[in-house]
Amino acid sequence: MGLELAVEAAEPTTLAVVDLDDRGSAAFGFYVNGTADWRWSAAELPSSLPPGTRAVHIGSLAAVVPPGADVLRDWAAGLARRDPELTVVYDVNVRPALLPDREEYRARVEPWLRIARVVKASDEDLAWLYPGREPADVAREWLGAHGLELVLLTLGARGAAAFAAGGTVARADGVPVRVADTVGAGDTFTGAFLHATLSRGMDLAAALRYAVTAAALTCTREGAVPPSRAEVDALALGPAPRVS
């Protein structure tokens, strides 16, 4: 798919400013006043998706910042009702710099859990949203309380875990790399996981390993520069992740 569904706007795009710590981990600040990213209207969103669409990925600030977030949520809910086979994927991707109030943030995240079939979050996302709780416990709670099929939990250098309906848990260890920065690693993880499962038919454990590998490769490059499929394939051929 190209840019057929892109919407032109007169307003400028939001500017994100990245601050890296000594490990290359990124913190984000934003210039948002008067920008186009939060002003979605129902008329701008397609009533149907291109033939063959199997998943829709929505996440981060566009899913929680008003007024457009409510429009996007209603749109995604409508898609899910009309096409039960469509996988709606929600990436929590918390950005406290823009919405620092935890209660408000949780109130905007939790309605998405009733729409999505797959939810992805980092351990840092869940630790910020629910201080004092283990991120894995929150992931399991989400899975049971909202009828989700899968919760993907990324763990930084420690890899990732996947909690599936029915009790299956898959874990993939981190892939050691020299980190330039972490920008784009989360989106790469989700994209690679969807590619592995929907396009290549990998099982949960193999897909998790594949996604962790793709995210690790992204961390070796400055900026959001994901690897090619060939690069991920070359590195992902290793021991299978643990499944319990």
Side-chain angles (χ1 to χ4, degrees), residues 54 192 194-203 210 229-230 232-233:
R54 300 175 65 187
L194 292 175
H195 167 72
T197 52
L198 298 181
S199 297
R200 303 183 75 171
M202 293 183 184
D203 63 25
Y210 193 87
R229 181 173 64 180
V232 183
D233 286 350

Side-chain angles (χ1 to χ4, degrees), residues 1 4-7 41-56 74-83 86:
M1 185 182 296
E4 295 87 355
L5 301 181
V7 176
S41 68
E44 292 174 324
L45 297 167
S47 58
S48 61
L49 299 174
T53 301
R54 300 175 65 187
V56 172
D74 290 344
W75 174 73
L79 290 177
R81 285 194 301 269
R82 291 192 296 272
D83 184 358
L86 182 72

Side-chain angles (χ1 to χ4, degrees), residues 22-93:
D22 55 5
R23 298 174 299 162
S25 183
F28 292 83
F30 301 93
Y31 291 89
V32 299
N33 290 340
T35 57
D37 302 78
W38 327 114
R39 303 174 186 275
W40 290 99
S41 68
E44 292 174 324
L45 297 167
S47 58
S48 61
L49 299 174
T53 301
R54 300 175 65 187
V56 172
H57 176 266
I58 301 172
S60 194
L61 294 174
V64 295
V65 175
D70 295 336
V71 176
L72 284 175
R73 191 171 62 247
D74 290 344
W75 174 73
L79 290 177
R81 285 194 301 269
R82 291 192 296 272
D83 184 358
E85 299 301 315
L86 182 72
T87 298
V88 175
V89 183
Y90 172 55
D91 185 356
V92 179
N93 201 16

Side-chain angles (χ1 to χ4, degrees), residues 113-114 138-148:
L113 307 180
R114 297 189 287 272
V138 175
R140 291 187 178 94
E141 181 180 294
W142 279 4
L143 189 70
H146 299 287
L148 294 163

Side-chain angles (χ1 to χ4, degrees), residues 97-135:
L98 200 54
L99 282 177
D101 185 287
R102 280 188 177 85
E103 288 190 12
E104 180 183 2
Y105 218 125
R106 285 196 296 265
R108 293 191 171 278
V109 165
E110 290 173 356
W112 282 101
L113 307 180
R114 297 189 287 272
I115 296 170
R117 291 169 61 182
V118 176
V119 171
K120 178 262 180 188
S122 71
D123 54 352
E124 293 180 346
D125 292 334
L126 298 187
W128 189 88
L129 285 171
Y130 304 94
R133 297 194 59 190
E134 286 295 325

